Amino acid sequence: DRVLLTGVINISVPVRSVCVCLCFHVTGARVVVSARTYADFTPQATFDIKKCDLHKLEEGPPLQAVLTREEGLQYYRTMQTIRRMELKADQLYKQKIIRGFCHLYDGQEACAVGIETGINLSDHLITAYRAHGYTLTRGGTVREIMAELTGRRGGIAKGKGGSMHMYTKHFYGGNGIVGAQVPLGAGVALACKYLGNNEICVCLYGDGAANQGQIFETYNMASLWKLPCIFICENNKYGMGTSVERAAASTDYYKRGDFIPGLRLDGMDVLCVREATKFAAEHCRSGKGPILMELQTYRYHGHSMSDPGVSYRTREEIQEVRSKSDPISMLKDRMLSNNMASVEELKEIDVEVRKEIEDAAQFATTDPEPPLDDLCNHIFYNDPPMEVRGTNPWTKLKSVS
Amino acid sequence: MNTLLIVLLIIMEISQIHFLYVTVRDALNQALDEELERDERVFLLGEEVAQYDGAYKVSRGLWKKYGDKRIIDTPITEMGFAGIAVGAAMAGLRPICEFMTFNFSMQAIDQVINSAAKTYYMSAGLQPVPIVFRGPNGASAGVAAQHSQCFAAWYGHCPGLKVVSPWSAEDAKGLLKSAIRDDNPVVFLENELMYGVPFEMSEEAQSKDFLLPIGKAKIERQGNHVTLVSHSRMVSLCLDAAAVLAKEGIECEVINMRTIRPLDAEAIETSVMKTNHLITVEGGWPQFGVGAEILARIMEGPAFNFLDAPAVRVTGVDIPMPYAKILEDNSIPQIKDIIFSVKKTLNV
């Protein structure tokens, strides 16, 4: 847990002026608030959320979600951080400071944030390559993430992994091979069951990956062995440039687990995602075996930075989602219309987030690249130092664990 | 006669000489049993490993002893269960993933290479993967093309993996125990034709803490005239060929590689600097194979200047494995091929 900032905000409210002191944890579901609020902000409100489509389930998550002011501010901050971080990455990529693959997550923030609020940091999570958002929610810092994208020694993987290979505690990446992370996630769940630690594994994949054979192999074993695994399909409607209708004989991804119960829900609504995740986590922890969630979401960027994202979908479609279903706007509107926060307060958060991103980008562009001595390190764990052949027979490089 | 025997036995008991003959299969079984007992996190998964006692009976008795939690029968879904095994290793367990033969590992090779081998490096040391992939490798008898491939070169190619290829029962036991205790992905290439072969097991090897180091070759037979380097079943053929050649006054030094990766180039170089002649013997195909790598290393290293003749390889024939016995027999090295190659190299 990290205390990111302590700020003093003066808010003028018609009746009286207010002094508010807030401490935020950006990562994790827990928020500590030491607030002296005399405000007449609503401390919490109940929101109706869309009903989930159910598969092989008698009942689903609740139709209402309670959101406290603190939670709302935290979700807002985290989603905004992911949004701005991804946009900054876009910028740096166009400046050629980030290279190679860069798969951006903007638009899908409610998924990463909602899921994390439904589980604990002691639970486990694995996803595919569109992983920057999850690296953050799982405990990574913006600095380390950006420095990894720019390939510097301060990167979360010391510059050796790049965009698709970021790891933190109980977060197994960042995986480049489509679908390969799904059996891995079930394996993590197997370990949870084996060790009897009441932890679960959230195992994510996209609509493109959903047709992979190894995923069906995994459904089978997870179900047979009742592994505590939440399979989550982030359906953003396009597998690279191929729309779901052109790739899948059945686009009811929440039903594709067949014998595995499933839910389909609005992945743009952080509260929907949270409630469904809580529901799914409870299902797994009670020993019922795996469960499948399909989050209907959308990515604003193309598949990766080399894809403009408009050859297979229209700008109008993208614009429509942005104006009608943006996850951050949705939360903001909810909070403002229920007097749970003020416009100025949220703007203040925006400013802080922007600064954090700027500082991180500054670090990411000025931190030195990894030293050449590091080239051959980390081949093996817990092994004595060894020699590695260089590019020619006379070059012998050193490798330490 | 009987008294003589009794006297002999008494002498043996007193002097604590215990000759124990153990098959490779039983040695593997012992290694698995001992490591399962020693560390709760170790478990075995694969097709037919539990209730069937193992397709080749290597895991006989283990399910009865350790139960469903630690000996897991999987469906016939290699890519899936190999991935599950790797994930379990990432989350802190120590899985042993059995491929019924390594031919089937091709279905799962992405998990072995991209998920297991590369992860510690990609994560810059954050995520180790302590897993063993084991199973029979290479040619068997009459199982034809799809079931006879040797994967030593394929896996030996990849950084991040350790690749082990035992020959004897002691090799099997000591190396498997080391592989299981190793915190890195190890590909353990057994050989079906060796499973039933008994070897003398020394007192030391009978201990529960008997380990053999990965990455160190063993000189099975000393000699001065030519170095024969081999792994797995071909070591037997080299020793047989050496016995025949010894009658003609040619003394072969036979090196049992034990490990494919990391390759013990030093042991081979030291031997070549003594014998001045090198022949590698393997069951796999010649192109880009284990022998090719050894020869390249010798070229690049200090031993080159000690060669009196070009180093050569004896390998399987460059064809998919045929079925008919006469064809199969002629698809892999025979003792006469080794003898022929030695004589050509020595120009005798």
Side-chain angles (χ1 to χ4, degrees):
Chain A
D1 287 342
R2 245 159 286 225
V3 176
L4 208 35
L5 79 106
T6 306
V8 177
I9 305 167
N10 273 311
I11 301 167
S12 289
V13 177
V15 176
R16 47 181 179 255
S17 69
V18 158
C19 189
V20 173
C21 184
L22 298 163
C23 296
F24 290 112
H25 291 258
V26 172
T27 59
R30 271 167 248 103
V31 172
V32 172
V33 176
S34 51
R36 292 180 291 118
T37 93
Y38 304 96
D40 55 356
F41 284 132
T42 323
Q44 71 176 47
T46 305
F47 296 94
D48 290 331
I49 52 177
K50 289 201 205 106
K51 187 174 190 297
C52 301
D53 294 322
L54 301 178
H55 171 71
K56 298 233 164 102
L57 279 168
E58 289 298 311
E59 28 167 61
L63 298 172
Q64 293 192 316
V66 174
L67 177 72
T68 69
R69 189 180 122 77
E70 295 78 29
E71 283 169 347
L73 290 170
Q74 190 222 322
Y75 303 168
Y76 180 84
R77 178 182 290 270
T78 312
M79 288 201 285
Q80 193 69 287
T81 305
I82 297 174
R83 175 68 57 91
R84 297 247 73 90
M85 178 175 74
E86 297 295 81
L87 293 177
K88 179 54 82 175
D90 168 285
Q91 216 176 62
L92 291 175
Y93 195 94
K94 286 170 176 152
Q95 294 173 324
K96 297 203 191 325
I97 299 170
I98 297 176
R99 51 191 208 95
F101 288 131
C102 193
H103 306 88
L104 298 177
Y105 198 67
D106 51 312
Q108 301 186 211
E109 296 87 353
C111 298
V113 174
I115 289 169
E116 193 61 46
T117 59
I119 58 174
N120 308 315
L121 262 179
S122 55
D123 289 317
H124 308 256
L125 190 142
I126 189 170
T127 185
Y129 46 75
R130 201 174 302 280
H132 308 157
Y134 290 100
T135 314
L136 188 80
T137 54
R138 284 262 103 195
T141 63
V142 182
R143 260 167 83 98
E144 309 175 292
I145 294 170
M146 301 220 75
E148 186 62 33
L149 292 175
T150 56
R152 309 301 165 99
R153 63 180 72 185
I156 201 166
K158 301 193 173 72
K160 294 176 94 164
S163 170
M164 299 186 295
H165 307 296
M166 302 191 189
Y167 302 79
T168 71
K169 187 158 186 261
H170 290 203
F171 173 57
Y172 306 87
N175 288 274
I177 306 296
V178 171
Q181 76 277 12
V182 178
L184 294 179
V188 172
L190 188 145
C192 293
K193 184 172 179 181
Y194 190 104
L195 295 167
N197 53 25
N198 202 33
E199 291 161 12
I200 61 171
C201 184
V202 175
C203 182
L204 293 128
Y205 55 94
D207 50 275
N211 302 309
Q212 275 259 316
Q214 57 187 319
I215 293 186
F216 293 89
E217 296 186 12
T218 309
Y219 289 159
N220 183 40
M221 285 182 273
S223 202
L224 262 179
W225 302 333
K226 291 208 169 3
L227 302 181
C229 193
I230 306 177
F231 295 110
I232 302 188
C233 177
E234 283 180 292
N235 178 2
N236 61 19
K237 302 187 179 41
Y238 298 93
M240 205 156 140
T242 306
S243 69
V244 292
E245 298 78 33
R246 294 205 302 127
S250 163
T251 53
D252 290 333
Y253 296 104
Y254 72 113
K255 289 185 183 170
R256 299 281 291 275
D258 188 9
F259 34 77
I260 297 182
L263 315 161
R264 178 169 57 193
L265 54 129
D266 181 3
M268 303 304 261
D269 180 352
V270 68
L271 294 179
C272 245
V273 177
R274 183 185 78 182
E275 292 309 310
T277 306
K278 283 188 176 156
F279 175 85
E282 170 55 37
H283 176 101
C284 289
R285 276 188 240 275
S286 65
K288 296 198 185 107
I291 189 169
L292 207 159
M293 283 164 53
E294 177 189 338
L295 306 184
Q296 296 190 302
T297 182
Y298 200 84
R299 53 165 163 82
Y300 295 143
H301 269 85
H303 161 73
S304 71
M305 286 305 297
S306 52
D307 169 25
V310 287
S311 61
Y312 48 87
R313 55 185 191 172
T314 61
R315 284 183 212 274
E316 287 74 41
E317 180 188 285
I318 305 170
Q319 205 25 57
E320 178 157 358
V321 176
R322 250 192 228 279
S323 55
K324 298 219 179 97
S325 321
D326 183 273
I328 300 176
S329 303
M330 197 190 296
L331 177 65
K332 181 173 174 180
D333 292 342
R334 272 180 169 151
M335 291 189 72
L336 290 177
S337 57
N338 282 273
N339 196 27
M340 293 176 78
S342 71
V343 172
E344 292 77 19
E345 193 174 17
L346 296 179
K347 267 213 178 62
E348 189 62 41
I349 294 178
D350 290 349
V351 167
E352 284 157 8
V353 166
R354 220 174 284 254
K355 179 163 192 322
E356 186 188 356
I357 306 300
E358 272 314 312
D359 286 348
Q362 179 63 14
F363 174 69
T365 47
T366 54
D367 198 41
E369 286 189 290
L372 274 181
D373 293 339
D374 205 34
L375 181 68
C376 298
N377 293 340
H378 312 116
I379 299 280
F380 292 132
Y381 176 53
N382 252 352
D383 249 29
M386 64 177 193
E387 227 172 51
V388 171
R389 188 188 195 276
T391 57
N392 59 65
W394 298 275
T395 309
K396 307 243 185 285
L397 304 170
K398 185 142 170 264
S399 172
V400 299
S401 283
Chain B
M1 198 55 195
N2 272 336
T3 19
L4 216 69
L5 255 145
I6 293 169
V7 170
L8 190 62
L9 281 165
I10 294 171
I11 295 173
M12 278 169 63
E13 267 306 310
I14 295 169
S15 52
Q16 294 288 299
I17 304 169
H18 289 126
F19 287 120
L20 191 60
Y21 280 86
V22 179
T23 60
V24 171
R25 173 186 290 113
D26 289 340
L28 292 167
N29 186 277
Q30 275 173 34
L32 290 170
D33 192 357
E34 287 169 11
E35 294 306 302
L36 281 158
E37 191 174 57
R38 177 180 175 271
D39 190 337
E40 275 281 300
R41 300 167 298 170
V42 175
F43 72 100
L44 173 67
L45 87 169
E47 294 153 11
E48 311 300 347
V49 295
Q51 298 189 17
Y52 196 85
D53 270 337
Y56 300 99
K57 305 292 175 244
V58 174
S59 55
R60 175 171 39 210
L62 296 179
W63 175 66
K64 249 210 191 91
K65 184 171 175 185
Y66 295 102
D68 285 328
K69 178 179 168 183
R70 305 195 58 204
I71 313 290
I72 304 176
D73 275 336
T74 63
I76 308 171
T77 50
E78 273 78 5
M79 198 165 183
F81 72 70
I84 282 179
V86 175
M90 289 179 175
L93 298 183
R94 302 188 74 89
I96 303 165
C97 177
E98 178 176 303
F99 292 119
M100 197 181 280
T101 76
F102 266 94
N103 299 287
F104 315 139
S105 75
M106 272 203 284
Q107 307 244 297
I109 200 163
D110 174 67
Q111 296 291 0
V112 177
I113 307 299
N114 280 322
S115 302
K118 297 179 185 172
T119 294
Y120 191 65
Y121 186 86
M122 292 192 297
S123 67
L126 288 174
Q127 182 62 71
V129 186
I131 188 169
V132 175
F133 297 100
R134 52 158 289 274
N137 174 60
S140 179
V143 293
Q146 293 179 341
H147 289 73
S148 306
Q149 189 169 330
C150 175
F151 287 85
W154 282 31
Y155 288 116
H157 188 58
C158 301
L161 281 183
K162 298 189 185 181
V163 182
V164 176
S165 186
W167 166 62
S168 64
E170 276 199 23
D171 284 357
K173 185 169 179 207
L175 290 170
L176 184 55
K177 286 166 76 75
S178 290
I180 294 168
R181 295 190 197 190
D182 200 303
D183 289 327
N184 297 285
V186 181
V187 168
F188 193 85
L189 304 170
E190 300 161 8
N191 186 292
E192 202 229 315
L193 296 173
M194 294 304 290
Y195 281 154
V197 178
F199 287 84
E200 203 178 303
M201 183 83 98
S202 69
E203 190 85 36
E204 192 203 347
Q206 292 169 46
S207 139
K208 279 193 179 170
D209 281 305
F210 172 65
L211 298 173
L212 284 174
I214 294 177
K216 286 269 162 284
K218 182 181 177 210
I219 306 202
E220 299 289 350
R221 183 190 194 281
Q222 303 259 10
N224 284 313
H225 299 129
V226 61
T227 301
L228 300 177
V229 180
S230 187
H231 71 100
S232 189
R233 193 173 90 84
M234 290 292 137
V235 175
S236 298
L237 269 77
C238 288
L239 289 169
D240 291 345
V244 172
L245 287 162
K247 296 202 187 92
E248 298 177 44
I250 300 173
E251 295 298 328
C252 303
E253 180 142 292
V254 177
I255 299 182
N256 169 11
M257 289 173 70
R258 284 180 163 173
T259 304
I260 305 290
R261 183 180 184 111
L263 205 153
D264 192 353
E266 205 185 307
I268 302 172
E269 281 165 351
T270 308
S271 177
V272 170
M273 294 200 276
K274 182 174 78 170
T275 67
N276 312 123
H277 298 87
L278 174 63
I279 299 178
T280 65
V281 183
E282 67 196 288
W285 294 318
Q287 296 199 39
F288 310 98
V290 174
E293 173 62 22
I294 293 173
L295 263 51
R297 295 239 196 157
I298 293 297
M299 288 278 278
E300 290 180 347
F304 171 72
N305 289 311
F306 291 78
L307 282 173
D308 286 345
V312 297
R313 305 163 290 169
V314 173
T315 69
V317 178
D318 206 7
I319 52 171
M321 180 69 71
Y323 167 67
K325 187 157 196 328
I326 187 173
L327 297 179
E328 186 181 60
D329 288 346
N330 284 280
S331 300
I332 47 172
Q334 301 178 50
I335 296 169
K336 64 175 170 67
D337 298 319
I338 303 174
I339 294 171
F340 174 79
S341 303
V342 168
K343 289 186 172 171
K344 282 288 257 188
T345 301
L346 293 174
N347 207 17
V348 296

